């Protein structure tokens, strides 16, 4: 059996931290899908940190649920930028904690409406660090 050599470019560095007090947050791993996500100028499909995601079934009761951006049944907020170019990707969502809105880009911040905040009572959205 032949194994193809594949060179993959990766950038390392600190991830953007959108939580005000990470030690007080409750997060959970999940899968995020790429339905309806457009590729950027670099050809990658990136869902930004701070994006509300949800799905038809609860990720708490069905760990195989694939969450989507722009879902009506919001279940959490993405903790980090996620690359879904190649399909479903592992991600982390915030279920409880304090999120700094100033650390989320303007387009993503616009997705956090009163409807979203009403469905996520465990998350406090603030402008700036304590």
């Amino acid at each position: 059996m032949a194994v193809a050599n594949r060179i993959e470019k990766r950038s390392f560095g600190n991830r953007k931290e959108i939580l005000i007090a990470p030690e007080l947050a409750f997060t959970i791993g999940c899968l995020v899908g790429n339905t309806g996500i457009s590729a950027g100028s670099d050809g990658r499909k990136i869902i930004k940190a701070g994006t509300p995601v949800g799905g038809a079934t609860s990720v708490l009761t069905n760990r195989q649920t694939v969450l989507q951006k722009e879902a009506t049944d919001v279940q959490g907020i993405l903790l980090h930028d996620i690359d879904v170019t190649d399909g479903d990707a592992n991600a982390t969502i915030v279920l409880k904690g304090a999120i700094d809105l100033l650390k989320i880009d303007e387009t993503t911040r616009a997705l956090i409406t009163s409807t979203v905040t009403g469905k996520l009572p465990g998350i406090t959205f603030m402008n700036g660090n304590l």
Side-chain angles (χ1 to χ4, degrees), residues 33-74:
N34 65 357
T35 303
I37 306 300
S38 300
S41 59
D42 61 356
R44 308 301 299 171
K45 293 181 177 182
I46 306 294
I47 305 175
K48 297 286 190 175
T51 301
V53 292
T57 58
S58 173
V59 72
L60 296 175
T61 57
N62 180 359
R63 301 292 294 133
Q64 298 305 311
T65 296
V66 178
L67 301 179
Q68 302 290 336
K69 176 182 174 184
E70 306 287 337
T72 55
D73 185 18
V74 177

Side-chain angles (χ1 to χ4, degrees), residues 6-13 15 44 83 86:
R6 185 173 126 184
I7 297 173
E8 186 174 317
K9 179 181 175 183
R10 292 189 179 211
S11 298
F12 294 93
R15 289 183 169 185
R44 308 301 299 171
D83 186 340
D86 299 323

